[in-house]
Amino acid sequence: MQGNPAGGNRGPVQGNQAGGHGGAAYGSPAGDRVPTNATRRYVAGEYAAEGAGQRAGGNQGGAPPLSPPRVKRARVARKPRGRRRWRFRWGRVLLALVLFVLILPIGAGIYVDTHLTRTDALAGYPGRIGDTPGTNWLLVGSDSRTGLSKAQEQQLSTGDASDVEGARTDTIILVHIPKSGRPTLVSLPRDSYVSIPGNGTDKLNAAFAIGGANLLVQTVEGATGLHIDHYAEIGFGGFANVVDAVGGIDMCLDQPMNDPLAGIDLPAGCQKLNGAEALGFVRSRATPLADLDRMQNQRKFLNALLKKSTSPWTLIDPFRFWPLLTGATNALQVDKGAHVWNLATLGRALDSNPVATTVPVGGFEDTASGNVLLWDKDKASRFFDALAKDQQVPADLVTTVGT
């Protein structure tokens, strides 16, 4: 009962004395089972007693120190992972849209500014008029057929380029943007009888045919007394492409318009015009007032095109916006000092309910240059004097021919 004097059997005896039936719970096959809380407390106490004995008298009998029993943990079965469902995240979509809206105008502006064709339209000359208040643009619609194929010339009814000596202007518009107040849009009839520097007196569009944009600007400055700050020109082909890029424009005609020379046969009423039809509409003089009606039609068209080009549906549709951007960029020629922000200012002015008028007309006369249009000298002088002072044109000088 005292055990082995060497203490070899001390562990189990102490275990029985300490716990009675502890041997059944420890050192038996049942040790492979997961221990209960009572077993854990017992084993922990035995380890503490054994450790105290070893510290007091060493490892008596050479018995090896007790090692903790291995406890097998029960494995918990994990549910198999299914495929992660894709969730529509409105936050990310909204962020992408915001970035698109911010980046699009910046990218478009860089593209336009680096791809514009520039011409030396505002070259200085002796005795040039000094700067006048406000900003003055000269907009020109040229009948230049440069870049058009024979098929395009036939489609657009522009005639053969070989039959036309030089380029002429079908449209000449002066835009005055004041520092404050409404802009003024002035149509200058191409048959206006004016003095052309170095070439006597002739029709206004002859200046463009003789000396191009530079001589035209010089002629307009001399006739109006206004300093031209910027110049923009668009040709036949580019004109039609811009209209087609926005899907056509809506126009309302008070009377039918049939003009074989312009290639159109349009009924009265509201309708959508494609590029070729719009070109014929602004070129035609087959109306009772001929050139005066045509200038009114040109202003109507310009207003309709600007509204269609800047509509949200055009700007968010890449199949319209990109052709419009590239078509307008390729079609435009501007002065060397014009940049995309200057064009943006012009666009805002044209879209801000400008005063649309024609230079005061005095009558018509047959000359060596053909039938020409004469300005009313007194009214035209007061008209342009108001613009030179950056003032609104007096109401009695505003002409709304063809309205």
Side-chain angles (χ1 to χ4, degrees):
M1 295 295 292
Q2 292 180 355
N4 191 337
N9 213 13
R10 187 166 181 253
V13 174
Q14 290 179 350
N16 289 335
Q17 291 175 349
H21 60 277
Y26 177 65
S28 67
D32 291 337
R33 300 173 186 166
V34 178
T36 63
N37 290 336
T39 305
R40 292 192 184 97
R41 289 193 296 269
Y42 167 76
V43 172
E46 186 169 315
Y47 290 159
E50 180 66 21
Q54 289 181 4
R55 287 193 297 271
N59 190 2
Q60 299 179 9
L66 295 175
S67 59
R70 292 185 178 181
V71 179
K72 292 185 178 180
R73 296 182 179 179
R75 293 185 178 180
V76 180
R78 294 184 179 180
K79 294 182 180 180
R81 291 185 178 180
R83 293 184 178 179
R84 295 182 65 182
R85 293 184 179 179
W86 182 82
R87 295 181 180 179
F88 191 83
R89 300 185 181 275
W90 283 106
R92 294 181 181 179
V93 174
L94 182 60
L95 178 60
L97 289 176
V98 170
L99 291 176
F100 176 77
V101 171
L102 293 176
I103 294 174
L104 180 63
I106 297 175
I110 294 174
Y111 177 87
V112 171
D113 201 55
T114 54
H115 287 75
L116 281 172
T117 301
R118 291 180 167 84
T119 182
D120 193 16
L122 305 179
Y125 56 88
R128 185 182 183 188
I129 296 174
D131 192 18
T132 50
T135 302
N136 297 308
W137 278 83
L138 188 63
L139 308 183
V140 174
S142 168
D143 67 358
S144 172
R145 292 146 177 85
T146 302
L148 293 180
S149 65
K150 295 293 183 181
Q152 288 175 317
E153 289 177 352
Q154 184 175 5
Q155 179 189 7
L156 300 177
S157 301
T158 63
D160 194 332
S162 60
D163 298 333
V164 180
E165 183 180 353
R168 292 183 179 270
T169 54
D170 269 15
T171 306
I172 305 173
I173 298 177
L174 176 67
V175 181
H176 176 75
I177 306 174
K179 293 182 179 179
S180 63
R182 295 172 62 188
T184 304
L185 196 69
V186 187
S187 293
L188 304 178
R190 70 173 190 170
D191 290 340
S192 298
Y193 201 50
V194 295
S195 176
I196 301 176
N199 293 274
T201 306
D202 206 333
K203 294 181 179 181
L204 180 59
N205 68 342
F208 188 82
I210 296 171
N214 186 260
L215 184 58
L216 177 63
V217 169
Q218 187 175 350
T219 301
V220 170
E221 288 183 335
T224 64
L226 296 174
H227 180 92
I228 302 301
D229 300 290
H230 291 294
Y231 172 90
E233 175 189 333
I234 187 170
F236 276 162
F239 184 99
N241 290 338
V242 169
V243 175
D244 287 333
V246 297
I249 59 167
D250 297 320
M251 294 296 300
C252 293
L253 279 64
D254 297 330
Q255 299 177 351
M257 184 179 290
N258 184 6
D259 186 354
L261 294 178
I264 55 171
D265 185 6
L266 304 175
C270 296
Q271 55 204 289
K272 178 172 287 187
L273 305 183
N274 60 28
E277 292 169 337
L279 178 60
F281 174 74
V282 299
R283 291 181 59 221
S284 177
R285 290 194 288 181
T287 58
L289 295 178
D291 214 30
L292 297 179
D293 279 341
R294 181 168 74 165
M295 289 186 295
Q296 179 69 19
N297 290 338
Q298 290 169 353
R299 293 196 296 267
K300 288 181 179 179
F301 163 79
L302 184 60
N303 184 52
L305 180 60
L306 280 170
K307 287 185 176 180
K308 188 68 176 290
S309 301
T310 57
S311 72
W313 300 113
T314 298
L315 298 178
I316 65 175
D317 185 351
F319 296 102
R320 285 187 178 182
F321 176 74
W322 183 249
L324 170 65
L325 183 68
T326 56
T329 304
N330 293 334
L332 276 176
Q333 287 192 57
V334 296
D335 63 274
K336 290 186 176 181
H339 293 280
V340 65
W341 49 89
N342 302 118
L343 290 171
T345 302
L346 173 64
R348 287 194 299 270
L350 295 177
D351 196 35
S352 60
N353 190 29
V355 177
T357 182
T358 304
V359 61
V361 177
F364 298 87
E365 184 178 302
D366 290 326
T367 67
S369 301
N371 187 265
V372 299
L373 182 146
L374 303 176
W375 292 3
D376 185 312
K377 292 185 179 180
D378 177 61
K379 291 184 177 180
S381 177
R382 291 193 293 125
F383 182 97
F384 290 114
D385 184 60
L387 295 180
K389 295 177 180 178
D390 204 26
Q391 300 173 351
Q392 292 292 311
V393 175
D396 64 309
L397 300 180
V398 175
T399 306
T400 55
V401 175
T403 302

